[in-house]
Amino acid sequence: MAKRKEGSFSSAGSNKRRRKELREDSDDDPNEEDFSQQTNDSGFHSQLASGEVGIIESIQLKNFMCHSMLGPFKFGSNVNFIVGNNGSGKSAVLTALIVGLGGKAIMTNRGSSLKVFVKDGQNSADVSITLRNRGEDAFKPELYGDSIIINQHISLEGHRSYKLKSCTGVLISSKKEELIAILDHFNIQVDNPVSVLTQEMSKQFLQSKNEGDKYKFFMKATQLEQMKEDYSYIMETKARTEDQVEQGGEFLEELRKQYLEKEDRCKSLALVSEMQNKLKELQHQIAWAMVRERESEIKPISDNISIQEASTEKFVQKVKECQVKVNEAEEKHKEIQEKLEKIMEEAQMLQPECVALKTEVQKKRKAYNDAEAVYNQSKTNLKRLVKDEEQLCKKIEELKRSAYQMSAPEELERQRKTEQLKVQLKTFQDRVELIRQEIQQYQHAVYKYRDGCVQLQKEERELKAILDSQQQQLRELKESKTNRLKRFGQYMPALCEAIERASQQRQFKYKPIGPLGSFIHLKDAELALAVETCLKGLVWAFCCDNHSDERILQTLMSKFCPRGIRPQIIVSTFRNNIYDVKQKAVDHPVYPSVLTALEFDNPVVANCLIDMRGIETILLIKNNEEAREVMVMQKPPKNCREAFTADGDQVFHNRYYSSDNTRPRFLSRDVEADIRHLEKDIENKKAQLSFFQQRISSTNNDIRQNQDLLNKHRQHQNEIQGDMRKINLEISDLEKLEEQQSALISTLEDEAEEIKKKIETVDEDILQRKKKIEDGKHSLQEAEQKLAAIKDKIEQVEEETGPVKDGLNKADEALEKSKHAMQHYEGKKNEHLESIKKLKNNLAAKERELMEMIATASKIHPERIEVNRTVNSLDKEMNRLREKINSERERTGDREEIIRQFKETKEKYQNAESKVKSLKKFVKLLEEVMIQRYNTFLHFRRFLTMRCKYYFNSLLSQRSYAGKIEFDHKNEKLSITVQPGEGNKAALDDMKSLSGGERSFSTVCFILSLWSIAESPFRCLDEFDVFMDMVNRRIAMDMMLKMADSQHYRQFILLTPHNMSSLPTSRFIRILRMQDPERGQSTLNFLCRGEEDEEE
């Protein structure tokens, strides 16, 4: 059979102009014996082909359907059985084969979209298929080698991408067209049910009793259906072409009439040539008249230039005088500047010493505080030791006074009292344990509430800071109603006024520009937050032309700006035009850049933002999703570095940052709306702050309550422990004998002696600590005095800079005044020279125009014509003549236009005539070709029908069945009749009367018949034997294996839930046994039989 997409044929019964009568479809049933002989003689011609291309070597699935990992499955080149229970992944392998080779999701009967194949909880699925590519029919063997690896990636959205690799894993292509070319080359048809018969399609086919469905199955399996559709499409195209030829004939006749009409009009043009000759003569005269007038304009300009050049010297002398004054002022300014720098250097030299003294004072203060803390701790230890000594001495005296000997009743009384004290001690121990647990609970509650309180206090501080900032911003917004500069800070109007005064006093060479945000205006108000987030601190920055102006501006800012808040100063040479950034700017058809979205009051501001922020490379995209689509999902536009959304979010190619701000602060146009929004935010923040304060107060109350309970329990615990110590002492007193009491007294006396020694040691340590504290205090006072002295000295030096700075300012004013005077006279001189230059340029331009006029006049008429008339009079006469020519042309028509129309009409007529002839020739040739091809189609269909009948009868006879396939091509029906047993003993019955197994067996025979007449490197069949009994299954299996044995060049993949252990052992048969999946199992292992290397 031909491969896919080759020419096919169909009936042309619907054509408007019917072709010659073709031979009608027939149901001729040829002599099967003759065909049997023909088939045996010819054999399967495709057996001569090599089985080295197109078969499936392996397949592997990842996150496909409900399987985390399946495979890799290594398939044999002939028969492959995939055996396993339901749910083990058999059908998943077949589905992956269809999808992996480019099939649509609906073909698998598992879903309508590819996204259903992605395992739940995963982002994507992958299918890898390896096809054999060997022998003479290999596809691009120099690129792919012996195997072609097809990797398909399926996303959670249902999109898929291909990677076609060589046998070594090298990526060759990622285009679907390459995959289609491979499938066409190997004649692989995943949509053909004969090549791949899924479980659902198999069930539909087995259960279908419609003869039309069987006929469609046959047509689709043999690709006759596609050939028929292609033939119908060609005949419809032919009919449309014939309609176009008819319409073209009518249009051609109309063009011929237009052509003859234009030809007649073209012959009647010859009346205006005399007036055109007169007009040409006047054109010669006016050309030389214009030359004469231009020559008369040049002489006054030349005389004026000579007068102006004579008065240049006085301007040069004035400039020289001003230059001398400027040099003197610069010398004086330099002298004062050096003096100021010397004073500042002296102050700076004192700064390191001041910093070192500060560090020393801090260090000594810390040492003093540490020593004082240790001293207090020693005093506390001394008090504790003295108390311990007193208690020991008291105990020793008590023991010494006690009598050792006791009478028998006293001994009994002692024992009774001891037992009573032990019971009481046990009760106290239980109570202590209970209290300890309660103390732990209260401690945990206190720690928890304290941590919560600390977090709440932190959030309260942050909220207060935000509230203070918003209240300050609200005040600025309300004040900005009368003064827009207050939006940039309360100090900004005063700073700008000071800059204006300094500029009027000529302290600046060029007046600084700022804040920059006041010089820009948005074309689209919705982009205010995006632009403000993009520019950040540049909105309230200033720009200076030079570093001298920058120093002066820094001085002004130090006077007016709050401490810690100072706008950025950018130094950049001022220009009168905006940079030309077309080559490096981003240009998007939909979204503007920051540069194109703004209007600038001053080009310096635009140039400053281009230099500092690169606004020509930043896009503004209102919608967040569209911004992600443009910058992240797609390749960013050329020259685009980043983008901002209307919400202020910043988007790069590989990352995304959200904005903390919700509304613009500086660039918004609607101040009232901003005030309302900010007041609402402030109210919300106040409510939140009140809520936090209530929670903090409540938490503190909880802490106090739990702390009180904790203290009470600790106090109670200490009391009980004190009682326990007393009871222990009493028990000890009662239980110990006299000698033990003596030993205890001795021990206690030793302890008392040791405590006395410790007391003496602590006393000495306290004295040393006290002396150390006094020394530290004295040293700290000395360091603080030194620090105060150095600070006084620095302040004295800084006070000395005041008069020097005043002198420097005066010198600056004098210098600027001299420079201004020099600039004034230089401007006058330049204006004078510029006027002379303009006169000379004007003279040169008029001389060039004169030369051009002479050249033009010479081209019009080579010899100069002396004309006494003016250009105006000649022009009027030419206009009158043109009017006469035009009126004549209106009456007769324009000559050039008529000739042009004649040529166009003639060309259109000839082209149309040529096209009509070509189409008629094409239609005639197509008619002949299609008759021939349709006859071939009928012959080919008849041949496939005979082969199908022959193979079907042959397969039925293997089980002594009799049967018949009847094709009704005219009504598109296919009927199958089968009789089990001897065919001559009973009449043939329709398949409806057969049992399920007999019907399945007959269907298998029909499918094997189609296998015999359809070409494909592999066949896949899913659960073919599910409705068969053991006998029919065995026979069907033998028939398939027999066919496979006769077709070693072709691959068979059969899926079945039944055990195939009874199959004969053969190197051509491979069984893949799939295990039932376990919960949590990510990879399904399988057992293979016959995995020995096959003979090549």
Side-chain angles (χ1 to χ4, degrees):
M1 273 182 67
K3 297 180 182 179
R4 293 189 300 174
K5 296 189 178 179
E6 290 189 3
S8 305
F9 317 98
S10 176
S11 174
S14 61
N15 294 339
K16 294 179 70 176
R17 290 187 176 183
R18 296 185 58 83
R19 53 181 172 77
K20 294 179 181 180
E21 187 64 22
L22 300 177
R23 190 171 63 182
E24 291 293 334
D25 293 346
S26 63
D27 299 328
D28 294 341
D29 190 2
N31 189 319
E32 293 188 6
E33 293 181 359
D34 296 340
F35 178 71
S36 173
Q37 183 62 37
Q38 177 186 352
T39 304
N40 292 331
D41 292 341
S42 61
F44 294 110
H45 63 87
S46 58
Q47 291 186 14
L48 298 176
S50 173
E52 299 295 322
V53 294
I55 68 173
I56 302 169
E57 291 185 345
S58 67
I59 183 170
Q60 183 175 6
L61 319 180
K62 180 181 179 183
N63 296 330
F64 191 82
M65 295 177 68
C66 58
H67 305 282
S68 298
M69 182 69 72
L70 275 178
F73 295 94
K74 302 292 184 179
F75 291 107
S77 61
N78 192 215
V79 180
N80 297 270
F81 284 94
I82 301 179
V83 179
N85 293 328
N86 292 333
S88 60
K90 303 188 304 302
S91 297
V93 175
L94 190 62
T95 302
L97 179 62
I98 297 174
V99 174
L101 294 179
K104 297 180 180 179
I106 195 170
M107 291 167 47
T108 65
N109 294 310
R110 297 278 180 167
S112 59
S113 174
L114 291 175
K115 61 185 178 183
V116 303
F117 297 125
V118 181
K119 185 181 178 183
D120 291 343
Q122 302 296 326
N123 295 325
S124 63
D126 295 280
V127 178
S128 177
I129 299 174
T130 304
L131 300 179
R132 185 169 293 179
N133 189 46
R134 304 176 187 171
E136 297 178 355
D137 293 334
F139 182 81
K140 298 181 182 178
E142 69 281 0
L143 291 178
Y144 290 98
D146 291 343
S147 299
I148 299 177
I149 301 173
I150 302 171
N151 290 339
Q152 183 175 151
H153 180 79
I154 303 173
S155 68
L156 193 58
E157 293 78 19
H159 305 302
R160 62 179 168 187
S161 59
Y162 298 94
K163 288 185 179 179
L164 305 177
K165 300 181 180 180
S166 67
C167 59
T168 58
V170 178
L171 179 63
I172 304 300
S173 176
S174 59
K175 295 181 179 180
K176 186 175 182 180
E177 291 77 7
E178 181 79 358
L179 175 61
I180 293 174
I182 293 172
L183 298 180
D184 285 343
H185 186 83
F186 293 159
N187 198 22
I188 295 174
Q189 308 152 25
V190 293
D191 58 343
N192 192 330
V194 171
S195 296
V196 180
L197 187 60
T198 63
Q199 182 177 349
E200 188 66 26
M201 189 178 296
S202 176
K203 289 179 181 178
Q204 292 176 2
F205 183 74
L206 287 173
Q207 296 171 3
S208 174
K209 300 177 182 179
N210 192 318
E211 296 178 350
D213 292 341
K214 291 185 175 65
Y215 186 83
K216 289 179 181 178
F217 188 85
F218 168 77
M219 294 292 286
K220 188 173 183 180
T222 56
Q223 290 186 285
L224 291 172
E225 182 179 8
Q226 182 181 349
M227 296 168 65
K228 185 177 179 181
E229 290 174 355
D230 291 345
Y231 180 77
S232 298
Y233 174 76
I234 293 171
M235 297 309 294
E236 289 173 3
T237 304
K238 172 179 168 292
R240 288 196 297 270
T241 305
E242 289 175 343
D243 292 341
Q244 291 177 2
V245 170
E246 288 182 3
Q247 296 173 2
E250 297 172 358
F251 179 66
L252 182 64
E253 182 62 27
E254 184 179 348
L255 284 178
R256 192 179 73 84
K257 291 179 181 179
Q258 293 178 4
Y259 165 66
L260 296 174
E261 181 184 347
K262 299 296 181 183
E263 188 177 26
D264 292 339
R265 289 188 64 188
C266 191
K267 293 178 181 178
S268 62
L269 295 174
L271 302 177
V272 294
S273 58
E274 184 178 351
M275 286 186 289
Q276 288 178 340
N277 292 334
K278 178 64 177 175
L279 180 62
K280 191 174 183 180
E281 183 180 348
L282 289 174
Q283 288 174 344
H284 296 169
Q285 292 180 12
I286 198 172
W288 288 107
M290 292 171 68
V291 170
R292 184 175 61 81
E293 288 186 359
R294 185 51 52 89
E295 287 175 344
S296 63
E297 294 175 359
I298 290 176
K299 190 174 184 308
I301 297 175
S302 179
D303 295 340
N304 191 14
I305 290 173
S306 301
I307 295 170
Q308 293 293 334
E309 287 179 340
S311 61
T312 304
E313 184 60 30
K314 66 177 182 179
F315 291 105
V316 175
Q317 188 63 33
K318 276 288 185 183
V319 171
K320 289 181 179 178
E321 293 175 1
C322 292
Q323 183 63 49
V324 172
K325 292 181 180 180
V326 168
N327 293 337
E328 293 175 354
E330 286 179 344
E331 287 294 329
K332 186 175 180 181
H333 181 274
K334 183 178 180 182
E335 180 181 352
I336 298 173
Q337 181 71 31
E338 289 176 352
K339 184 177 180 181
L340 179 62
E341 290 176 355
K342 185 176 180 182
I343 295 173
M344 296 303 293
E345 286 177 2
E346 184 178 354
Q348 290 175 357
M349 290 175 62
L350 294 173
Q351 286 295 334
E353 185 178 356
C354 180
V355 173
L357 285 173
K358 281 183 181 179
T359 305
E360 184 179 358
V361 167
Q362 293 173 354
K363 184 177 180 181
K364 290 184 176 181
R365 183 175 287 111
K366 184 176 182 301
Y368 174 75
N369 293 333
D370 293 344
E372 190 175 19
V374 173
Y375 172 75
N376 293 331
Q377 182 66 33
S378 298
K379 290 178 70 176
T380 302
N381 292 338
L382 178 62
K383 291 179 181 179
R384 181 177 56 78
L385 290 171
V386 171
K387 186 176 180 180
D388 291 344
E389 182 188 18
E390 292 175 355
Q391 291 178 350
L392 284 174
C393 291
K394 186 177 179 182
K395 181 65 179 176
I396 291 170
E397 289 298 327
E398 290 177 356
L399 291 173
K400 286 181 178 181
R401 287 196 302 270
S402 64
Y404 174 73
Q405 293 180 351
M406 291 184 295
S407 61
E410 290 176 346
E411 179 67 19
L412 293 175
E413 178 64 21
R414 184 183 64 79
Q415 292 177 357
R416 184 189 64 76
K417 190 174 182 180
T418 301
E419 292 298 328
Q420 184 179 359
L421 289 174
K422 286 183 179 180
V423 172
Q424 189 176 358
L425 179 64
K426 180 68 170 63
T427 303
F428 282 152
Q429 287 175 345
D430 294 340
R431 291 176 63 186
V432 166
E433 178 62 23
L434 180 62
I435 292 173
R436 185 186 64 78
Q437 294 177 0
E438 292 178 350
I439 287 174
Q440 288 180 350
Q441 293 177 359
Y442 289 129
Q443 284 178 336
H444 178 72
V446 169
Y447 294 153
K448 180 180 178 182
Y449 283 129
R450 282 177 179 171
D451 292 342
C453 188
V454 170
Q455 182 63 29
L456 288 172
Q457 289 173 345
K458 179 182 177 183
E459 295 178 2
E460 181 192 22
R461 289 193 297 272
E462 293 175 353
L463 192 59
K464 282 183 178 179
I466 295 173
L467 182 60
D468 293 340
S469 174
Q470 288 183 338
Q471 289 175 337
Q472 175 67 21
Q473 187 179 350
L474 180 61
R475 289 193 293 271
E476 293 173 357
L477 280 174
K478 290 181 177 180
E479 293 174 355
S480 68
K481 291 181 181 179
T482 56
N483 190 342
R484 185 170 180 263
L485 289 176
K486 287 192 176 181
R487 283 195 128 189
F488 300 91
Q490 292 289 333
Y491 63 90
M492 192 61 72
L495 176 61
C496 292
E497 290 176 3
I499 293 172
E500 183 64 31
R501 287 195 300 272
S503 176
Q504 292 175 357
Q505 296 170 3
R506 304 193 182 282
Q507 296 182 22
F508 295 108
K509 293 181 181 179
Y510 297 95
K511 178 185 172 183
I513 297 173
L516 300 183
S518 64
F519 289 86
I520 61 178
H521 307 282
L522 289 161
K523 297 178 182 178
D524 187 350
E526 294 181 5
L527 297 174
L529 181 58
V531 174
E532 193 170 305
T533 307
C534 171
L535 300 182
K536 297 180 181 177
L538 294 175
V539 176
W540 51 299
F542 283 77
C543 186
C544 292
D545 175 75
N546 53 77
H547 292 284
S548 175
D549 290 348
E550 178 196 15
R551 287 192 292 271
I552 298 171
L553 182 58
Q554 289 279 17
T555 304
L556 293 176
M557 285 184 176
S558 64
K559 295 178 181 178
F560 293 95
C561 296
R563 189 171 184 181
I565 300 176
R566 184 171 294 188
Q568 180 182 358
I569 300 177
I570 302 161
V571 180
S572 178
T573 304
F574 289 0
R575 293 181 57 172
N576 294 327
N577 55 340
I578 299 177
Y579 296 149
D580 183 7
V581 293
K582 293 181 181 178
Q583 297 298 324
K584 62 177 183 177
V586 60
D587 183 16
H588 197 279
V590 179
Y591 309 113
S593 66
V594 178
L595 178 61
T596 58
L598 297 177
E599 293 178 349
F600 300 93
D601 295 341
N602 194 319
V604 174
V605 177
N607 294 336
C608 180
L609 296 180
I610 290 172
D611 291 334
M612 298 299 294
R613 194 64 182 89
I615 60 175
E616 76 281 5
T617 64
I618 303 173
L619 280 180
L620 297 177
I621 304 173
K622 291 183 181 180
N623 186 272
N624 295 354
E625 295 300 327
E626 293 179 5
R628 286 190 176 95
E629 181 70 21
V630 172
M631 296 298 296
V632 180
M633 304 301 292
Q634 304 174 3
K635 183 179 180 182
K638 182 180 179 183
N639 297 330
C640 180
R641 182 162 51 89
E642 57 185 299
F644 285 85
T645 69
D647 295 334
D649 296 348
Q650 188 176 14
V651 188
F652 291 92
H653 174 55
N654 54 358
R655 57 192 186 279
Y656 187 102
Y657 299 105
S658 297
S659 173
D660 295 330
N661 300 322
T662 57
R663 288 186 66 84
R665 180 177 177 183
F666 304 105
L667 303 180
S668 175
R669 297 179 184 175
D670 192 351
V671 179
E672 293 295 338
D674 289 344
I675 291 174
R676 290 194 300 271
H677 185 271
L678 199 55
E679 286 176 343
K680 187 176 180 181
D681 279 353
I682 289 173
E683 291 300 323
N684 293 334
K685 291 292 187 300
K686 286 182 178 178
Q688 293 179 19
L689 182 62
S690 175
F691 174 70
F692 276 119
Q693 289 172 345
Q694 291 175 2
R695 288 186 62 189
I696 290 171
S697 176
S698 175
T699 305
N700 286 328
N701 290 334
D702 292 337
I703 292 173
R704 283 193 295 272
Q705 292 176 3
N706 282 276
Q707 188 66 48
D708 291 342
L709 292 171
L710 179 62
N711 293 335
K712 289 179 180 179
H713 278 70
R714 282 177 174 170
Q715 183 179 357
H716 191 197
Q717 184 185 38
N718 292 334
E719 292 174 356
I720 295 175
Q721 287 176 345
D723 294 338
M724 289 173 64
R725 283 194 295 271
K726 290 179 181 180
I727 292 173
N728 280 325
L729 289 174
E730 290 181 14
I731 293 172
S732 177
D733 292 342
L734 294 171
E735 288 181 345
K736 292 180 180 178
L737 301 175
E738 183 177 358
E739 58 270 14
Q740 292 173 336
Q741 290 179 347
S742 300
L744 179 61
I745 291 170
S746 177
T747 302
L748 293 176
E749 286 177 347
D750 292 340
E751 289 181 4
E753 186 66 27
E754 185 178 351
I755 288 175
K756 284 182 181 180
K757 292 179 181 179
K758 287 183 180 179
I759 290 173
E760 293 174 357
T761 304
V762 171
D763 283 335
E764 293 176 0
D765 186 59
I766 288 174
L767 292 175
Q768 293 177 359
R769 298 284 182 191
K770 188 174 182 180
K771 185 175 182 304
K772 188 175 181 181
I773 288 173
E774 292 175 353
D775 294 342
K777 185 175 182 181
H778 179 70
S779 176
L780 176 62
Q781 291 174 348
E782 289 181 352
E784 288 177 342
Q785 291 173 359
K786 289 181 182 180
L787 178 61
I790 197 70
K791 284 184 176 180
D792 293 340
K793 193 171 183 181
I794 291 173
E795 289 178 359
Q796 291 175 1
V797 172
E798 290 179 348
E799 288 176 358
E800 292 177 4
T801 61
V804 178
K805 287 182 178 178
D806 294 338
L808 182 63
N809 291 334
K810 291 179 180 178
D812 281 338
E813 292 176 3
L815 177 60
E816 290 298 327
K817 187 176 181 181
S818 301
K819 288 183 178 180
H820 180 70
M822 186 178 72
Q823 290 174 354
H824 172 72
Y825 286 109
E826 280 184 343
K828 289 288 186 181
K829 183 188 75 172
N830 292 335
E831 288 177 3
H832 180 71
L833 294 175
E834 186 66 25
S835 65
I836 295 175
K837 184 178 179 182
K838 287 181 179 178
L839 289 172
K840 288 183 177 180
N841 291 337
N842 189 19
L843 177 62
K846 289 188 177 294
E847 288 177 346
R848 285 195 300 272
E849 290 176 0
L850 176 62
M851 297 304 295
E852 291 174 358
M853 288 180 177
I854 292 173
T856 304
S858 299
K859 290 179 180 178
I860 295 173
H861 193 273
E863 295 181 3
R864 179 159 184 163
I865 302 174
E866 294 300 329
V867 183
N868 296 324
R869 297 173 62 182
T870 64
V871 174
N872 191 20
S873 65
L874 290 170
D875 187 55
K876 288 180 179 179
E877 185 176 353
M878 289 175 65
N879 289 335
R880 286 194 298 270
L881 192 57
R882 287 193 185 98
E883 289 176 358
K884 289 182 180 180
I885 294 172
N886 290 334
S887 62
E888 186 66 23
R889 282 179 177 173
E890 289 178 358
R891 188 178 64 83
T892 60
D894 182 66
R895 178 184 179 85
E896 288 77 8
E897 181 64 21
I898 291 174
I899 294 173
R900 185 186 63 78
Q901 291 178 358
F902 169 70
K903 290 181 178 178
E904 288 180 355
T905 306
K906 182 179 179 181
E907 185 178 358
K908 286 182 181 179
Y909 172 69
Q910 290 175 346
N911 289 340
E913 186 179 25
S914 176
K915 287 181 180 178
V916 169
K917 289 180 179 179
S918 298
L919 285 174
K920 288 181 178 179
K921 184 178 180 181
F922 170 74
V923 169
K924 183 178 179 182
L925 180 61
L926 183 62
E927 177 77 18
E928 296 173 356
V929 170
M930 293 311 297
I931 291 173
Q932 180 183 355
R933 291 178 69 90
Y934 185 72
N935 291 332
T936 305
F937 166 75
L938 295 177
H939 176 73
F940 184 57
R941 186 181 66 184
R942 181 168 172 266
F943 178 69
L944 291 178
T945 301
M946 290 190 295
R947 290 184 65 186
C948 184
K949 290 180 178 181
Y950 170 75
Y951 289 121
F952 182 72
N953 291 331
S954 298
L955 294 169
L956 284 179
S957 63
Q958 295 182 17
R959 199 182 171 193
S960 299
Y961 278 30
K964 184 178 181 182
I965 299 179
E966 294 183 357
F967 290 89
D968 185 356
H969 296 299
K970 185 174 183 179
N971 297 317
E972 296 185 347
K973 292 184 179 180
L974 186 154
S975 62
I976 301 176
T977 54
V978 177
Q979 175 61 44
E982 295 298 330
N984 56 359
K985 292 182 180 180
L988 298 178
D989 291 331
D990 185 70
M991 289 182 65
K992 299 177 183 178
S993 61
L994 299 179
S995 64
E998 292 170 344
R999 189 185 301 116
S1000 298
F1001 172 75
S1002 302
T1003 304
V1004 169
C1005 293
F1006 180 58
I1007 292 173
L1008 293 179
S1009 302
L1010 295 178
W1011 279 6
S1012 300
I1013 63 175
E1015 293 295 334
S1016 179
F1018 60 81
R1019 283 88 159 78
C1020 299
L1021 197 56
D1022 189 6
E1023 296 196 5
F1024 60 94
D1025 54 354
V1026 69
F1027 295 113
M1028 295 184 187
D1029 54 23
M1030 291 299 296
V1031 176
N1032 286 312
R1033 184 180 300 117
R1034 178 71 263 174
I1035 294 173
M1037 186 65 62
D1038 291 340
M1039 291 166 60
M1040 290 183 184
L1041 293 178
K1042 183 177 181 181
M1043 175 175 283
D1045 187 59
S1046 65
Q1047 299 179 6
H1048 289 165
Y1049 58 89
R1050 187 166 289 142
Q1051 187 181 44
F1052 297 84
I1053 300 174
L1054 307 175
L1055 284 69
T1056 176
H1058 300 290
N1059 187 2
M1060 293 289 110
S1061 58
S1062 61
L1063 290 175
T1065 302
S1066 171
R1067 64 187 179 87
F1068 295 109
I1069 299 176
R1070 178 170 296 184
I1071 300 176
L1072 305 179
R1073 300 186 187 278
M1074 305 189 70
Q1075 296 181 354
D1076 293 337
E1078 298 177 1
R1079 186 175 301 278
Q1081 180 176 327
S1082 59
T1083 302
L1084 293 176
N1085 299 322
F1086 55 87
L1087 302 175
C1088 298
R1089 197 184 84 182
E1091 286 192 354
E1092 298 85 355
D1093 294 339
E1094 301 175 20
E1095 293 182 6
E1096 297 296 336

